[in-house]
Amino acid sequence: MNDYGEQIVPGFAYRFQGEQLVSERSDFQQIDIYENPSFGRLLMLDGLTQTTERDEFIYHEMLVHVPLMSLENPRRVLIIGGGDGGTLRRVLEHPSVKLAVMVEIDRRVTELCRELMPSIAGDAFDDPRAEVLFADGIAYVRDGGEAFDAILIDSSDPVGPGEGLFTIDFYRAAAARLTDGGVLCAQSGSPGFQQDELHRAYSHATKAFGDVRVYVGFVPTYPGGMWSFTLAGAALSLDPSAAAARAAERKIGARYWRPELQRGAFDVPQIVHDVIAPDGPPHTWGLSPAEHDRA
Ligand code: SAM
């Protein structure tokens, strides 16, 4: 039984046990997949937990359903990253979606997840509405083309290939690729342990969008459990009763998301407000290793 894990901040780490199924260095990152007795198969990139078979539904439902339920009729959706296919699967649960383009930089992540963690994507990769491209999402968004009703950033942390997905230039380029009333939603890290990441995602998004809000969900295998998402658009509409009607009409069977979260998930604790405040972040619990190295 392997013992592996993730250093969260100096002196505090997450430890997992289980058999290692794959350990491969791709052109972009270190890819490791493990078998874990409690969370099923678990993907790590560059030593950071990305997704597990048993709690992926929480992250993916919150990244997808909150933005798509805020839209009356989402038809064209762009996913940046999301190599495991969990975001693509939830997007395709919305019947109004006619095209879901997924732009993943690392083909090996998708190939290995399809082979070893197929339950996460289900049959999303075979859906005729899905278009999967292996390319850099930053260039794809920057280089123009057709507009989307929603752009979902399911990226790894802002290190390595994911760094450029948290910049003002990227958010401005993404804003230009949205239809009128379109929204962008990005995973923005742990409000406890990645306070610089969340502060940067939020403050940069406010330079590109008129209405930017942060909401949270709880993903057990992510650092600290509480995870943040940054939703942005010209004028967001977050109405639980409209979402309830849409969920019924779209027959969305969710295990974590519920219509009340269209408002409830945005009632974030004071610490999140402190992190995104102009004079934030407060660095409540020490700096993360990356921040520590930079400090
Ligand atoms: N849920 C995870 C999280 O919150 O950390 C993210 C999971 S998903 C596997 C992250 C994906 O983003 C990876 O497969 C990675 O290769 C991809 N990625 C990172 N930078 C990218 C870029 N610039 N363009 C496209 N995909 C990128």
Side-chain angles (χ1 to χ4, degrees), residues 58-98:
I58 300 172
Y59 170 86
H60 290 123
E61 288 182 13
M62 290 304 277
L63 179 65
V64 173
H65 296 333
V66 173
L68 293 198
M69 290 297 183
S70 78
L71 300 173
E72 203 165 325
N73 189 30
R75 297 174 61 79
R76 297 171 51 83
V77 178
L78 173 62
I79 301 163
I80 303 295
D84 51 73
T87 297
L88 181 65
R89 174 177 152 202
R90 270 40 177 232
V91 166
L92 295 169
E93 287 176 2
H94 293 256
S96 64
V97 171
K98 301 303 173 221

Side-chain angles (χ1 to χ4, degrees), residues 6 10 14 22 24 41 60 72 83-84 90 103 112 117 135 159 161 178 194 197 210 225 257 285-287 290:
E6 190 179 333
Y14 269 23
V22 160
E24 176 182 316
R41 294 192 171 174
H60 290 123
E72 203 165 325
D84 51 73
R90 270 40 177 232
V103 182
L112 289 168
M117 306 171 82
V159 286
L178 286 173
Q194 296 166 321
E197 176 179 333
W257 177 86
W285 294 287
L287 301 182

Side-chain angles (χ1 to χ4, degrees), residues 44-255:
M44 286 191 144
L45 297 177
D46 289 339
L48 303 175
T49 308
Q50 299 296 309
T51 193
T52 82
E53 290 177 317
R54 300 268 172 76
D55 68 359
E56 59 83 20
F57 69 95
I58 300 172
Y59 170 86
H60 290 123
E61 288 182 13
M62 290 304 277
L63 179 65
V64 173
H65 296 333
V66 173
L68 293 198
M69 290 297 183
S70 78
L71 300 173
E72 203 165 325
N73 189 30
R75 297 174 61 79
R76 297 171 51 83
V77 178
L78 173 62
I79 301 163
I80 303 295
D84 51 73
T87 297
L88 181 65
R89 174 177 152 202
R90 270 40 177 232
V91 166
L92 295 169
E93 287 176 2
H94 293 256
S96 64
V97 171
K98 301 303 173 221
L99 175 68
V101 177
M102 183 184 114
V103 182
E104 163 58 54
I105 200 167
D106 193 338
R107 179 188 296 275
R108 285 303 286 155
V109 171
T110 299
E111 290 172 347
L112 289 168
C113 286
R114 290 194 73 173
E115 183 194 337
L116 295 167
M117 306 171 82
S119 66
I120 295 187
D123 54 14
F125 288 113
D126 305 319
D127 190 304
R129 298 171 295 162
E131 188 183 316
V132 178
L133 307 172
F134 295 106
D136 183 347
I138 298 162
Y140 181 89
V141 166
R142 184 192 57 225
D143 298 347
E146 300 207 42
F148 294 91
D149 303 311
I151 298 178
L152 308 179
I153 316 297
D154 180 8
S155 73
S156 32
D157 291 21
V159 286
E163 186 147 10
L165 296 167
F166 293 77
T167 62
I168 297 172
D169 288 351
F170 175 76
Y171 287 133
R172 286 189 172 142
R177 294 292 303 268
L178 286 173
T179 55
D180 283 353
V183 297
L184 173 140
C185 189
Q187 74 86 7
S188 44
S190 160
F193 299 114
Q194 296 166 321
Q195 296 186 346
D196 281 342
E197 176 179 333
L198 172 52
H199 179 84
R200 200 170 37 238
Y202 178 79
S203 61
H204 288 176
T206 59
K207 307 283 186 308
F209 297 93
D211 190 350
V212 181
R213 307 195 207 169
V214 171
Y215 62 98
V216 295
F218 293 86
V219 185
T221 56
Y222 283 8
M226 182 194 281
W227 205 251
S228 74
F229 303 87
T230 298
L231 182 64
L236 299 172
S237 127
L238 294 163
D239 171 8
S241 50
R246 287 169 185 160
E249 188 201 331
R250 299 175 195 180
K251 299 187 178 50
I252 300 279
R255 295 165 57 205

